[in-house]
Every structure is written in structure tokens, then in C-alpha cells.
Amino acid sequence: MVVNTPDEPKQSADDERIEPPTSLSGWRRFVEKDPATFDLAPAKHWESMDDEARANYDEARIDYHSELRVVRTSTVKAVAHQGRLLTLLNRREHGARRGLIISGERTTGKTTALRQLGRLHELRIRQRYGDSRRIPVVYVTAPPKGSARKLALEFARFLKLPTISPRHNTADITSSVCQVLTEARTDLVLVDEIHLMNLATIAGEELSDHLKYFTEHLPATFVYAGIDVEHSGLFTGIRGGQIAGRCTLLHTAPFPPGAEWEGLVATMEDTLRLHHHTPGTLAKLHVYLHQRTGGMIGSLSHLIRAAAISAILDGSERITRRQLHTIHVDHASETAYRTSA
């Protein structure tokens, strides 16, 4: 019972944003999407544009800056390396397979690293086998106030299984999911937001048991990501001990001031497409940017991208410290900055 996704018509950028990677078609679009590129128009051509041409040009640049540019941070590299090692180690394993847990604070790049691991693995499998019927990677998020049934439905929704209905019980759904994923040669399963699984509740215990069932019945490597997983109760009790005994833990953290942080700022600045921005401006502000964001890669990306879009909208076409100071980021970063200022 392998799911075959028919060829779908090309969609506009607006349509592409609608479907998340927690569905098979959405995941495939994520894997196949090339990094955003944009070439600035020559100065004379830009200055001579009429209002309509300028509006279309600016809208295209806003779309470009709105996308999260993936930077190959040490976190992304570590997760990619460890994830590939585990998929290779588990390839011939018939018993309990080893897994990976990515844990850390908010906006430290956990989800980005998790998705990049899946993307690299799927591209590698496509290049090696070229089989469109394969589903090498599954990406789901742990359901809020999760239960075993809700988790099984997340997998079924990813696959868009046409045979699942409300009258099917958890065992029926799980059996169908395992059959499809086994036939589709799935070998990497990514589960995000794992901190939502609370082993202190009966539902959380059932969810943990259900995940264990999936790991034992699917010949795949499971990789999880969540906020401060080691403090969320996931490793407590007998069930938690089993998870801890089977999984490697990688911890993400804010970037400290230093060479890598300066490199991240410089890399993001290189992606800007503004007509009057002076190269190196942001690189010189690396200390200020660290203070504003607390070293959080997600907060840094938001701040720079929002500043770039603001510079297009107000016509300044440059990012300055004064302008950055007017951009609001997440509440946690803003509070920490105001407290330290």
C-alpha cells in the first residue's frame, strides 16, 4: 500500500507557503526548493523604473528577504554528521535502533537543523536510487496534549492516507502507517516539538509507548527535537530510561560572542539585496547584534530580514544601527536586552 503522489501543477510563491513540510507533498516541495536568489538591478535601470515596475521589483525583493536563509552553523553540521552516522549504523540493525535527540533553548536552530538533516538525507537517497516511489523521510510534529491516536494521525496526515476515517482505532491507523512506510523504504523519521510529550501524564506514557512501537516496527532511524528536552521529564521513569538508553543527545545553545558569531553576521549580510547598503556595516555591529538577540540564530535572522524589508519599504535601502533599534524581535530577546542595557 505505497502512497503515490501525482504530479501537481506548479504553484505560486503564495501557494507554496500554505502547505507545511508536515505533509508528504509539502515536504517534497521543501526538499526540492532551491535557495532563494536575487540579482540587484543596475543602478541606472533601478533609478529609471516607473512606479509599477518599481513596485513589482520591490515586492520580489521583499519575498527574497522574507525567506529564512539556512546558514551552515556548527549546529547544523553536528546534527547532519551525527544523523548520518546513525542512519548508517542502523542500516543492518535488527534490534533496537539508536536515535538522536536535539535539545536546546528557543530559536537556537533545532528545527532548522532537523529539517536540513532530513533534506540532505532525502537528496542523497534520490541521487543513489532515483526511485520516486520511495518516501525516505517523514517529518511530523508531536501533537499538543498528545495521545497515541493523535500521533498516529500525524503520520497518517503526512502520508495523506485515503483509507483513514474517524471510525478507525489507534491500532488500525498505526498498522496502516507502518505498512506504508515499510513498503516505501522510509529510513529516517523526524519528530519535532518532542517537549510536548509529558511522561508525567497517562496520555504522555501512552504516547511514549506508541513511539517505542514505531521504532521497533519500522526499520528507520528516529530523530527528535524539542525545547530543553532533558528538563521536560522525557528521561524520567522506566520509559524515560529506555529513551535515554537508546538516544544520543545533542544540545543547542545561543552562540557566544566570537569568530563563529561574527561569521554568521557577515554571511547574512552578504545575502542582503539593498541599493544603498554599505558592505561590512552589520559585521561591524556584531557586538550590538549579539546584545539584541542574545546569540540566538533565529532572533538574528528575524532582526536582519525585518530590517532589510523595512529599508525597502521606507526607501532608505540601507541598514543602520539606528534603524535596527526600531525593529522588534521576540519578547525574550527584547526583555534580556533591556535588562542588560
Side-chain angles (χ1 to χ4, degrees):
M1 193 168 69
V2 174
V3 175
N4 288 316
T5 302
D7 292 334
E8 300 179 14
K10 295 289 184 180
Q11 294 187 324
S12 68
D14 289 337
D15 292 332
E16 287 181 1
R17 285 199 296 267
I18 293 174
E19 190 168 23
T22 48
S23 69
L24 179 57
S25 53
W27 174 258
R28 285 176 171 169
R29 288 195 186 94
F30 167 75
V31 170
E32 295 162 0
K33 187 174 178 60
D34 294 326
T37 60
F38 192 92
D39 294 326
L40 279 177
K44 288 185 178 181
H45 177 58
W46 175 64
E47 292 168 356
S48 65
M49 288 180 180
D50 59 29
D51 290 344
E52 182 179 359
R54 177 69 64 86
N56 291 334
Y57 176 75
D58 287 348
E59 193 64 35
R61 283 194 296 153
I62 289 172
D63 286 343
Y64 166 80
H65 286 104
S66 70
E67 291 194 40
L68 177 62
R69 177 69 177 262
V70 176
V71 181
R72 290 279 294 174
T73 65
S74 55
T75 298
V76 172
K77 292 176 183 176
V79 170
H81 175 70
Q82 188 63 41
R84 187 176 189 194
L85 278 181
L86 287 173
T87 59
L88 295 174
L89 286 169
N90 289 333
R91 183 182 289 174
R92 303 296 180 186
E93 181 62 66
H94 296 288
R97 293 171 181 83
R98 299 289 175 176
L100 174 64
I101 296 176
I102 309 165
S103 174
E105 297 180 49
R106 58 177 180 84
T107 66
T108 51
K110 299 178 298 299
T111 293
T112 297
L114 185 70
R115 292 178 180 178
Q116 287 304 304
L117 167 64
R119 182 175 187 271
L120 291 172
H121 179 77
E122 177 144 342
L123 290 174
R124 194 178 295 119
I125 293 297
R126 290 186 185 188
Q127 184 178 28
R128 182 175 181 181
Y129 298 104
D131 186 353
S132 61
R133 295 173 299 175
R134 280 180 177 257
I135 305 175
V137 179
V138 169
Y139 174 76
V140 299
T141 58
K145 298 181 180 179
S147 65
R149 179 179 178 81
K150 286 182 179 179
L151 179 66
L153 284 172
E154 288 297 317
F155 282 96
R157 289 193 188 100
F158 179 90
L159 297 168
K160 292 186 177 178
L161 294 184
T163 57
I164 300 301
S165 68
R167 68 176 181 274
H168 287 94
N169 60 35
T170 303
D172 293 334
I173 302 171
T174 302
S175 177
S176 296
V177 167
C178 287
Q179 180 183 352
V180 170
L181 295 184
T182 300
E183 292 179 4
R185 307 294 295 275
T186 300
D187 42 25
L188 183 61
V189 177
L190 310 177
V191 184
D192 210 348
E193 309 291 345
I194 197 65
H195 55 272
L196 296 176
M197 189 172 78
N198 185 357
L199 295 186
T201 65
I202 295 177
E205 291 180 349
E206 292 176 350
L207 184 57
S208 174
D209 290 342
H210 212 62
L211 268 176
K212 183 172 178 287
Y213 178 89
F214 273 122
T215 62
E216 292 174 346
H217 287 76
L218 289 175
T221 298
F222 278 68
V223 182
Y224 313 93
I227 299 173
D228 292 331
V229 172
E230 60 269 45
H231 301 123
S232 68
L234 187 66
F235 296 142
T236 60
I238 296 176
R239 291 176 175 84
Q242 287 181 320
I243 295 173
R246 291 184 178 183
C247 292
T248 299
L249 179 67
L250 284 182
H251 194 270
T252 64
F255 289 92
E260 184 172 11
W261 177 257
E262 294 176 35
L264 292 176
V265 173
T267 298
M268 289 189 181
E269 184 170 25
D270 287 342
T271 67
L272 296 178
R273 297 296 181 266
L274 301 172
H275 282 276
H276 298 322
H277 182 77
T278 303
T281 299
L282 296 187
K284 293 176 182 177
L285 294 174
H286 64 87
V287 174
Y288 166 76
L289 291 170
H290 194 275
Q291 293 169 344
R292 282 294 312 275
T293 64
M296 302 292 190
I297 183 68
S299 301
L300 176 68
S301 174
H302 172 90
L303 179 58
I304 293 178
R305 290 184 298 122
I309 293 174
S310 178
I312 295 172
L313 294 175
D314 65 23
S316 65
E317 293 290 333
R318 61 167 58 88
I319 299 177
T320 63
R321 176 168 176 154
R322 176 177 294 182
Q323 186 226 25
L324 286 166
H325 210 63
T326 67
I327 303 295
H328 295 283
V329 291
D330 55 275
H331 178 66
S333 294
E334 293 284 5
T335 302
Y337 177 66
R338 288 195 300 266
T339 302
S340 64

